[in-house]
Amino acid sequence: MRIRINGDTHEVDVDVRTSLLDLLREHLGLTGSKKGCDHGQCGACTVLINGRRINSCLTLAVMHDDDEIVTIEGLGSPAALHPLQAAFVRHDGFQCGYCTPGQICSAVGMLDEVAKGWPSLVSEPGTDAVALTDEEIRERMSGNLCRCSAYPNIVDAIRDVAGAGA
Amino acid sequence: MKFGGHSVKRIEDERLLTGQGRYTDDIQLPGMAYGVTLRSPYGHARVAAIDTAAARAMPGVLAVYTAADVASYGGIPCIVPLSKVPTPRPLLVDTVRFVGDGIAFVVAETREAARAAADAIEVDFDELPAIASIDEAIADGAPPIWPEAGSNDLFLWSKGDAAAVDAAIAGAAHVTRLRIVQNRVAPTSMEVRAAVAEWDADAGFTLHAGSQGVAGMRAQLANAILKIAPEQVRVVTGDVGGGFGMKSFVYAEYALVMIAARDLGRPVKWTGDRSDAFQTDTHGRAMVTDGTLALDADGKFLALKAETWSDLGAYQSTFGPAIQTMAGGTIIGGVYRIPAIHNAVHGVITNTAPVDAYRGAGRPESAYTMERLVEAAAREVGLPVDEIRRRNLLRPDELPHANGLGLTFDVGNYPAVLDKAVQQSDWAGFAARKAEAARRGRRYGRGLCYYVEIAGGGGTEEFADIRVAADGRVEAAVGTQSNGQGHETAYSQVLADKLGIDIERISIVQGDTVRLDQGHGTGGSRSLVWGGGACLVAADELIERGKALAATDLDATDIDYEEGVFRARGTNRSTSLAELAAKHPQALDGRGRYTIPKPSPSWPNGCHVAEVELDPATGMVKVARYSIVDDFGVLMNPMLVEGQVHGGVAQGLGQVLLENIVYGEGAQLLTGSFMDYGIPRADDMPHIEFDTLGTPSPNNPLGAKGCGEAGTIGAMPSIMNAIIDALDGTQIEMPATPEKLWRVCRELAVSRAA
């Protein structure tokens, strides 16, 4: 199968049972995406597929023929950080760093969902535009666990970037 | 500029933010094989027969180990056994004592092949009676899990003056009694445990594993388990995705990958899955306490008595027996003026995962017991919860104070911290917030905690190995181990200030026994005090060596050092750190050892105020406001400190509201995934108002006090006290789940109607 990851095209031959996460980590050496549970319960493996966030442990690699995947390695580099990565530094948005790649990919996908006006559980019913309150950020990021609990600072970092983009 | 005291941004950030971190499972070595552990599905059973023939014959299988194959190796040592009866924990067992005990270890070409082969091992079990709880373990006629002990009540540790306590209780104007349960919780680092081993006939073993200190882990693996010289083992720890105490310990797989790597002559990796973690990572808390607090007519404390049954799990873990005793049992009573204290702790064996250090390791448990008693007493005698503390907190003029259990609190201004916290929380506005919540049909409560903790009590020395490169860059290896706390940054700040050079010129190394074969690791909130002290000593000694070299080079007797430059006094002759390093390679390098004549802990303390809002219709509770004032002495990096406090609060909040490890019938683990075991999410965390009011610690040159565990210690009692307040004083136990709260709210509504 052919898969595009961070702008590069890879021709890979994988077992049909291989998850996208295992393809990234085990076959392509892209270890930035983390395995925290392998059950879609922690969000550490979150990547972007055609711009949408997804738990890469819960999807099979072979389902993504010709899809455009972006992982943490594709978002920014130490020399040129993505605005969210830079905001995580400014706001001390993590400690051990294990959940961080997933948090950042998830935040990128989440901000796009907000821009499109997709409502969440806590959105006011019937409104078209979503106001990105702290409550909205917390709800929309609640699928990404952080045991060090940098949550308050993660919320600050996301608000910072969202505000700058608005 | 000075770096200390400033929120310097973390040096480790960019690596971790861009997916370049190097955690154990990220390591891929050529020719690497994969190991999988076959675990017991029973809580207690004898392995009557085990047949590995089918597994060995499967494609890709390289080796299968059972208990008999590794019987010549030592087990996982308990460093502080409190029982005369040893409870040896082998690498693999033929009698299983909890769900998850390892029966066989399979190594294959791929992880999938190893898993398939583990499934093909046939085991006949003879089931034995399984004991899932403290109550069952100490019930009359309960079968002992370790028959040679005669009972599951393995030891009794006690401290304090029992006779004085009983006399004070007998003569007291008021006595408050509570039975307090502290639920079993799982540390659940986001990075599960993993290990990679390599073996070389000349160099010996290299083990890559997440740890909280490589030197200690190496000593246990070499001396106790493999029975070889420590020099034959190199332990390397890269980035660690959270530890919280749990990663301090050696686990069976760390030795098993080493044994397999040697037998097979190729690298072997084992990575646990989340299920392995819930079953076999050490758990925390797990105890029941009968607490008694005696008061005089003015609400002043006369005596504190506690009797605790501490669930050790199936084996005495590495530090397990020490947690509720030596580590945390001596601080019960906090920084209150209590004339008589007695604390008795039973160590109880059950068919459950071993229990050991988890964030706070005994101190949160002691503070929780005391602070629950304090607020229950305040309610019973009709005193406000701040006032009862004001009457009983030690004043600065009463320090130092010996607590009667072997601890002496040195400095602090506890009443001032209390007052600042009360003010910061908008104490006076509580009534209006409660009334406003009531108008929306919600219950609203406030809880308070004044905690003290023992920080850095476990160590008596620490090391820093310092080097200067020819370009003047300074590199120090420190014997502690970051698990995400930001040690690289904090130590760089210490060294930059001491050497008067830019922080960019400093790098910190950790986690490799080749670079640093001594060191006591990270635990008990010790790192900045001890590791920072070691950095200071190493830097001082570096400057002295530099002065001696400069004296020769500059042909002078008196040399002054400032900001990276050595000057001959009274002249304009000088040489820089970089010039000296280039001219005299390695002559500046050396290892500093920090110790103090009478090693003493530091005593972080502080006050947490929590307010909760509870919906009686659903039992859902939210922490509405949260306010903290801490005394951490002198802060090195306020931003890092605040991060530690946030994380600590979350783990306390998790234990109070969500987390609960449950063993059911047959000692089956019922909470083995994040679907069954809730940890706090972004929407569970309140905004935290945080400030400090520090009294510098006199016991270390930085004036620092540990901060890593304080948040958890303060959060458990303050949030639970707030919930109890919201329930008009109804005592309930953790976790305060919606179902439990809904039932209490129903009962309160019914009794009010009646």
Side-chain angles (χ1 to χ4, degrees):
Chain A
M1 65 175 285
R2 192 173 59 197
I3 193 164
R4 282 183 62 77
I5 301 170
N6 302 329
D8 298 327
T9 302
H10 299 265
E11 296 283 346
V12 289
D13 183 16
V14 291
D15 189 309
V16 291
R17 296 166 295 182
T18 306
S19 70
L20 176 59
L21 177 61
D22 282 343
L23 172 74
L24 294 170
R25 289 184 57 81
E26 310 279 329
H27 298 257
L28 300 175
L30 290 167
T31 55
S33 305
K34 297 301 180 200
K35 186 181 282 188
C37 70
D38 219 16
H39 289 83
Q41 297 166 359
C42 78
C45 66
T46 307
V47 300
L48 297 160
I49 298 182
N50 303 327
R52 283 186 64 177
R53 54 180 171 163
I54 188 169
N55 287 325
S56 63
C57 73
L58 279 193
T59 190
L60 297 171
V62 293
M63 293 161 67
H64 299 287
D65 213 6
D66 278 334
D67 275 346
E68 194 79 39
I69 317 277
V70 174
T71 70
I72 189 68
E73 290 95 340
L75 277 178
S77 65
L81 292 178
H82 183 277
L84 265 165
Q85 290 169 324
F88 268 57
V89 176
R90 278 199 304 282
H91 293 279
D92 197 30
F94 63 100
Q95 290 171 28
C96 80
Y98 197 80
C99 74
T100 311
Q103 298 276 1
I104 289 176
C105 287
S106 187
V108 170
M110 182 272 275
L111 288 176
D112 186 53
E113 291 161 19
V114 170
K116 288 176 175 150
W118 295 2
S120 80
L121 181 71
V122 299
S123 303
E124 202 62 46
T127 50
D128 291 337
V130 176
L132 196 62
T133 60
D134 285 1
E135 192 189 11
E136 281 279 359
I137 297 176
R138 289 195 186 105
E139 162 61 24
R140 287 167 187 266
M141 292 300 291
S142 64
N144 289 81
L145 298 179
C146 170
R147 189 53 157 169
C148 303
S149 193
Y151 297 128
N153 296 348
I154 292 172
V155 172
D156 289 348
I158 294 172
R159 190 197 316 108
D160 188 351
V161 170
Chain B
M1 103 173 230
K2 282 276 182 192
F3 293 94
H6 294 280
S7 292
V8 174
K9 300 299 177 211
R10 301 199 332 166
I11 289 160
E12 42 279 77
D13 279 3
E14 289 179 358
R15 175 180 83 235
L16 300 181
L17 271 171
T18 52
Q20 312 299 315
R22 191 93 165 133
Y23 302 88
T24 306
D25 186 60
D26 299 341
I27 297 170
Q28 301 283 3
L29 299 173
M32 193 160 71
Y34 297 84
V36 165
T37 306
L38 175 69
R39 302 195 180 283
S40 169
Y42 291 101
H44 198 191
R46 230 182 328 270
V47 174
I50 182 162
D51 184 352
T52 60
R56 286 176 202 274
M58 287 180 68
V61 172
L62 300 166
V64 179
Y65 297 90
T66 64
D69 300 317
V70 294
S72 62
Y73 299 103
I76 297 167
C78 173
I79 292 173
V80 282
L82 282 179
S83 151
K84 288 197 186 71
V85 180
T87 53
R89 182 175 184 191
L91 298 179
L92 295 168
V93 298
D94 46 22
T95 297
V96 299
R97 295 185 180 85
F98 70 98
V99 168
D101 229 350
I103 296 168
F105 189 69
V106 181
V107 185
E109 295 287 351
T110 65
R111 210 169 281 179
E112 291 72 19
R115 269 197 198 124
D119 284 345
I121 295 173
E122 288 180 29
V123 189
D124 283 340
F125 292 97
D126 282 342
E127 267 193 272
L128 296 167
I131 290 172
S133 68
I134 293 170
D135 282 349
E136 290 171 53
I138 61 174
D140 286 343
I145 294 165
W146 292 94
E148 54 272 49
S151 155
N152 295 315
D153 193 346
L154 197 64
F155 62 77
L156 175 62
W157 171 96
S158 68
K159 198 103 180 167
D161 188 340
V165 165
D166 287 339
I169 291 170
H174 184 83
V175 178
T176 292
R177 291 191 170 86
L178 285 182
R179 167 159 280 208
I180 295 166
V181 179
Q182 303 201 45
N183 43 332
R184 178 185 282 249
V185 293
T188 58
S189 58
M190 293 313 298
E191 181 205 23
V192 291
R193 292 187 295 106
V196 178
E198 301 170 78
W199 185 77
D200 176 279
D202 298 323
F205 292 102
T206 300
L207 174 73
H208 306 265
S211 78
Q212 297 185 208
V214 288
M217 186 162 281
R218 172 167 91 157
Q220 290 176 45
L221 281 164
N223 300 334
I225 299 175
L226 299 169
K227 299 172 183 170
I228 56 177
E231 293 70 34
Q232 289 178 261
V233 178
R234 175 186 182 189
V235 178
V236 181
T237 293
D239 288 314
V240 181
F244 316 114
M246 178 274 292
K247 282 190 186 146
S248 300
F249 314 119
V250 171
Y251 292 83
E253 289 83 9
Y254 303 176
L256 291 169
V257 290
M258 294 170 78
I259 292 165
R262 184 177 56 192
D263 290 352
L264 299 172
R266 53 194 284 191
V268 178
K269 178 196 269 190
W270 170 85
T271 301
D273 54 31
R274 186 52 66 186
S275 171
D276 287 302
F278 275 110
Q279 289 180 69
T280 67
D281 289 1
T282 52
H283 291 161
R285 322 296 186 224
M287 58 195 273
V288 180
T289 301
D290 282 335
T292 308
L293 183 65
L295 302 89
D296 71 10
D298 295 325
K300 292 199 168 151
F301 303 155
L302 297 173
L304 170 68
K305 181 176 180 173
E307 183 170 13
T308 290
W309 289 264
S310 163
D311 189 345
L312 303 171
Y315 303 91
Q316 293 182 86
S317 181
T318 309
F319 297 143
I323 303 305
Q324 305 309 336
T325 56
M326 294 95 87
T330 54
I331 198 133
I332 200 160
V335 279
Y336 298 110
R337 195 183 307 104
I338 309 178
I341 305 178
H342 188 256
N343 190 13
V345 179
H346 303 262
V348 180
I349 291 282
T350 59
N351 290 118
T352 62
V355 176
D356 210 313
Y358 170 58
R359 205 159 192 166
R363 286 97 82 206
E365 295 92 317
S366 278
Y368 185 77
T369 297
M370 183 64 195
E371 294 297 297
R372 282 278 305 274
L373 283 167
V374 168
E375 295 220 348
R379 193 167 285 109
E380 287 168 10
V381 303
L383 277 175
V385 295
D386 57 333
E387 179 56 24
I388 194 169
R389 289 177 170 93
R390 217 167 268 125
R391 289 188 190 180
N392 288 285
L393 280 173
L394 293 161
R395 296 184 308 269
D397 61 18
E398 294 173 282
L399 300 177
H401 171 85
N403 79 341
L405 302 180
L407 304 182
T408 301
F409 303 119
D410 49 16
V411 297
N413 192 343
Y414 316 129
V417 170
L418 173 74
D419 286 340
K420 182 168 175 175
V422 162
Q423 198 173 10
Q424 180 178 288
S425 75
D426 183 26
W427 196 259
F430 171 75
R433 290 190 288 277
K434 188 177 169 84
E436 189 276 327
R439 281 196 289 279
R440 289 183 285 111
R442 305 292 164 87
R443 289 177 166 272
Y444 200 84
R446 173 171 62 192
L448 204 148
C449 163
Y450 204 101
Y451 77 90
V452 61
E453 82 144 310
I454 313 167
T460 57
E461 60 178 2
E462 194 49 79
F463 301 89
D465 200 52
I466 200 163
R467 291 177 185 172
V468 186
D471 60 359
R473 289 190 61 83
V474 174
E475 181 215 78
V478 187
T480 58
Q481 177 66 47
S482 182
N483 283 200
Q485 300 93 331
H487 292 172
E488 291 173 49
T489 308
Y491 292 153
S492 295
Q493 291 178 261
V494 172
L495 283 170
D497 283 351
K498 186 74 201 174
L499 295 171
I501 61 177
D502 193 82
I503 200 163
E504 303 278 327
R505 285 174 61 189
I506 294 169
S507 56
I508 302 295
V509 182
Q510 55 182 3
D512 190 341
T513 51
V514 163
R515 185 70 173 83
L516 194 64
D517 57 0
Q518 290 169 295
H520 297 275
T522 286
S525 302
R526 71 182 295 272
S527 294
L528 181 62
V529 166
W530 289 97
C535 286
L536 289 177
V537 171
D540 273 333
E541 292 175 1
L542 164 69
I543 292 168
E544 289 311 308
R545 286 189 293 274
K547 283 181 176 174
L549 294 170
T552 310
D553 287 5
L554 302 174
D555 193 21
T557 44
D558 295 321
I559 302 290
D560 296 317
Y561 174 83
E562 203 178 8
E563 296 185 347
V565 178
F566 297 90
R567 290 179 204 284
R569 194 173 300 161
T571 77
N572 59 1
R573 295 196 305 278
S574 70
T575 183
S576 73
L577 203 53
E579 285 164 349
L580 278 183
K583 194 171 170 193
H584 309 280
Q586 288 156 34
L588 287 166
D589 305 350
R591 179 169 301 181
R593 171 176 181 265
Y594 169 69
T595 189
I596 46 178
K598 276 190 181 170
S600 157
S602 68
W603 310 103
N605 62 93
C607 185
H608 289 219
V609 185
E611 294 183 11
V612 300
E613 183 175 306
L614 168 59
D615 184 348
T618 62
M620 290 297 289
V621 69
K622 270 279 185 202
V623 178
R625 291 167 65 91
Y626 205 89
S627 187
I628 307 173
V629 175
D630 282 315
D631 170 5
F632 293 144
V634 179
L635 306 189
M636 179 55 56
N637 185 320
M639 178 190 80
L640 293 181
V641 168
E642 192 163 356
Q644 285 300 302
V645 170
H646 284 174
V649 168
Q651 289 184 343
L653 178 148
Q655 173 150 20
V656 174
L657 298 182
L658 301 161
E659 300 180 34
N660 201 25
I661 286 284
V662 182
Y663 284 94
E665 202 174 323
Q668 282 297 320
L669 178 65
L670 303 183
T671 48
S673 82
F674 283 129
M675 292 300 276
D676 317 296
Y677 185 89
I679 71 168
R681 294 167 182 271
D683 56 346
D684 293 308
M685 278 296 285
H687 170 74
I688 296 172
E689 204 63 40
F690 170 73
D691 204 350
T692 57
L693 184 63
T695 304
S697 172
N699 88 346
N700 68 85
L702 296 170
K705 302 176 183 178
C707 71
E709 297 159 302
T712 307
I713 304 175
M716 283 164 56
S718 61
I719 297 171
M720 197 64 196
N721 280 338
I723 292 170
I724 291 167
D725 184 45
L727 297 173
D728 303 333
T730 307
Q731 300 290 337
I732 65 165
E733 301 303 326
M734 303 184 289
T737 55
E739 186 228 353
K740 230 185 252 181
L741 293 171
W742 179 82
R743 287 181 191 282
V744 175
C745 290
R746 291 287 301 161
E747 282 164 22
L748 289 172
V750 169
S751 65
R752 193 184 297 169

